[in-house]
Amino acid sequence: MDARPQIGQFVKVLRGKDEESYAVIIGIIDDKFVLIADGNKRRFDSPKKKNVLHLELQPAISQEVTNSLQDSGRVTNAKLRYVIQKFAYAKGE
């Protein structure tokens, strides 16, 4: 698994008020920072800038999110909520 974050990758937030929640990377700023959204508190239009060190990169990447971003440059909040819910359920959480 590539240690660098990728668009569409699931992350677990380790620091901050969203601690212990899951989100999806929707943008990469540089080596240190990414933009994450969960479609709920963090909408696609106002993603959270997070230090990669404060995230636990999950081995899964959502093709739905990746494809959506490649096709239209955006992804719906409903889709983000859906893929995160599915991912968390698959992990048994």
Side-chain angles (χ1 to χ4, degrees):
M1 183 71 201
D2 196 345
R4 290 200 317 268
Q6 296 172 345
I7 300 281
Q9 188 170 16
F10 292 99
V11 295
K12 186 172 191 175
V13 181
L14 301 176
R15 296 272 184 284
K17 60 178 183 284
D18 298 331
E19 202 171 314
E20 292 299 307
S21 65
Y22 288 105
V24 177
I25 296 175
I26 59 164
I28 294 173
I29 299 172
D30 55 29
D31 289 349
K32 281 202 168 67
F33 291 97
V34 295
L35 296 173
I36 62 170
D38 63 9
N40 203 6
K41 286 195 298 253
R42 284 285 161 206
R43 319 290 277 190
F44 176 80
D45 294 323
S46 59
K48 176 86 177 119
K49 180 180 171 186
K50 280 299 253 186
N51 186 324
V52 177
L53 298 175
H54 297 167
L55 300 171
E56 181 183 290
L57 299 174
Q58 302 295 310
I61 292 175
S62 169
Q63 279 313 127
E64 292 170 68
V65 172
T66 311
N67 296 343
S68 187
L69 283 166
Q70 281 171 345
D71 295 344
S72 63
R74 55 182 297 116
V75 60
T76 63
N77 291 308
K79 183 172 282 183
L80 286 171
R81 287 192 301 270
Y82 172 73
V83 298
I84 289 169
Q85 184 187 357
K86 205 165 69 168
F87 174 73
Y89 180 77
K91 283 192 63 118
E93 295 188 21

